[in-house]
Amino acid sequence: MTGIVAVLECRAVSKSFGALLALNGVDLALREGEILGIIGPNGAGKSTLFNVIAGLERPTSGTVYYRGCSMSGLPTHAVCRMGIAKTFQIPRFFPRLTVLENVLVAGLYGKGAGLREAQREAEEWLNFVGLVDKAGSPAAKLSISERRRLDLARVLATGAQVILLDENMAGLSHNEMEAAVSLVRSVRDRGKSLMVIEHVMRAIVGVADRVVVLNYGEKIAEGSPGEVMRDPAVINAYLGEAYA
Ligand SMILES: Nc1ncnc2c1ncn2[C@@H]1O[C@H](COP(=O)(O)OP(=O)(O)OP(=O)(O)O)[C@@H](O)[C@H]1O
Ligand SMILES: [Mg+2]
């Protein structure tokens, strides 16, 4: 990556929980405007990687850089204000607030925007994810696919330039997934850079420019979706013989 400063870079990032090494010396870089897929078996450390990047967990060693600046020790709200926001593997929202209010809260928290600006932007993002019709409904009433889109609207409303999506397409039907894939691509078209964790290979192939594969906390492969899917180490650790 000579001459190009990555938007986000992890250098030798490790995270242990007691005796368990959830991340072991992970190096990776997210380029400007890129969609980077993160795949690997259950327990490989994917969500832990996102938690470390987002400041929810401190790395045991190693450093995360945002546009070349170390983010070591920054709490999650500071990381968010710098421009990095993530969804949770299990969507988190305020069930009794309306859909619009949920997005509004994210805008107020993430950007420290004024109420008017946050309100205008919340409506814009709801329109972008196709939830304008539900703006006044309690969030608890949303379907799975609507909750995923609410989650996306909330991270976008923070104003973050780097968006981390943790299995945001899990549990969607075929058609919903196709729609979700094009929605994620249109997020990138708005100038964002994304890291996307997904187990469904069809989603990863549809969305990712490049893929990093984790296994037992280590990066075992990196490349285009086609390259990693043909990689014997990846087939062996994750995809199984059906892909071979
Ligand atoms: N807060 C924690 N305390 C202790 N162990 C943890 C904690 N968070 C994660 N782990 C462990 O770290 C390992 C990596 O977990 P992680 O959630 O990052 O995996 P993952 O790749 O996201 O898996 P999945 O595909 O199932 O979501 C697992 O063994 C998990 O049990
Ligand atoms: Mg996970």
Side-chain angles (χ1 to χ4, degrees):
M1 300 213 30
T2 41
I4 307 166
V5 176
V7 185
L8 192 83
E9 194 174 349
C10 295
R11 280 193 216 151
V13 167
S14 295
K15 174 71 188 176
S16 41
F17 296 108
L20 179 89
L21 200 48
L23 291 174
N24 188 4
V26 173
D27 291 309
L28 63 81
L30 174 69
R31 299 163 191 164
E32 186 92 56
E34 183 176 44
I35 304 178
L36 180 65
I38 308 288
I39 65 172
N42 294 118
K46 305 180 297 296
S47 295
T48 303
L49 176 69
F50 275 17
N51 288 339
V52 166
I53 293 170
L56 293 158
E57 303 272 11
R58 262 166 192 265
T60 309
S61 60
T63 310
V64 181
Y65 297 88
Y66 179 66
R67 298 189 188 280
C69 300
S70 164
M71 298 199 301
S72 287
L74 288 183
T76 184
H77 64 268
V79 172
C80 187
R81 294 259 164 112
M82 276 180 87
I84 301 169
K86 79 181 265 294
T87 65
F88 287 87
Q89 191 163 350
I90 297 167
R92 291 185 186 179
F93 53 85
F94 303 102
R96 293 164 73 165
L97 294 186
T98 67
V99 168
L100 179 66
E101 286 162 349
N102 267 279
V103 182
L104 195 53
V105 168
L108 295 170
Y109 167 86
K111 295 218 295 197
L115 189 57
R116 273 220 184 148
E117 188 197 345
Q119 180 116 19
R120 186 181 53 74
E121 290 196 358
E123 283 166 13
E124 236 176 79
W125 288 124
L126 278 185
N127 187 38
F128 178 73
V129 301
L131 280 181
V132 152
D133 294 351
K134 303 277 174 166
S137 312
K141 293 240 165 95
L142 297 182
S143 71
I144 298 264
S145 115
E146 290 166 344
R147 282 177 194 201
R148 303 283 183 198
R149 281 182 279 146
L150 172 58
D151 231 24
L152 185 60
R154 295 187 72 212
V155 287
L156 290 167
T158 66
Q161 288 302 305
V162 173
I163 309 283
L164 311 177
L165 302 179
D166 194 346
E167 298 195 36
N168 187 257
M169 301 183 203
L172 301 186
S173 70
H174 180 92
N175 289 343
E176 288 167 346
M177 181 170 297
E178 298 293 312
V181 163
S182 57
L183 190 56
V184 169
R185 298 183 72 91
S186 55
V187 170
R188 179 256 295 283
D189 294 341
R190 295 213 166 191
K192 314 283 185 185
S193 311
L194 298 100
M195 286 173 68
V196 174
I197 298 173
E198 288 298 337
H199 278 290
V200 180
M201 287 310 288
R202 192 158 41 77
I204 282 290
V205 169
V207 91
D209 303 309
R210 212 155 52 85
V211 178
V212 162
V213 188
L214 295 180
N215 188 39
Y216 292 112
E218 291 185 23
K219 183 172 82 174
I220 60 165
E222 178 172 13
S224 71
E227 279 163 4
V228 301
M229 282 173 71
R230 283 191 300 272
D231 187 322
V234 178
I235 293 167
N236 192 32
Y238 180 50
L239 296 174
E241 288 306 310
Y243 279 84

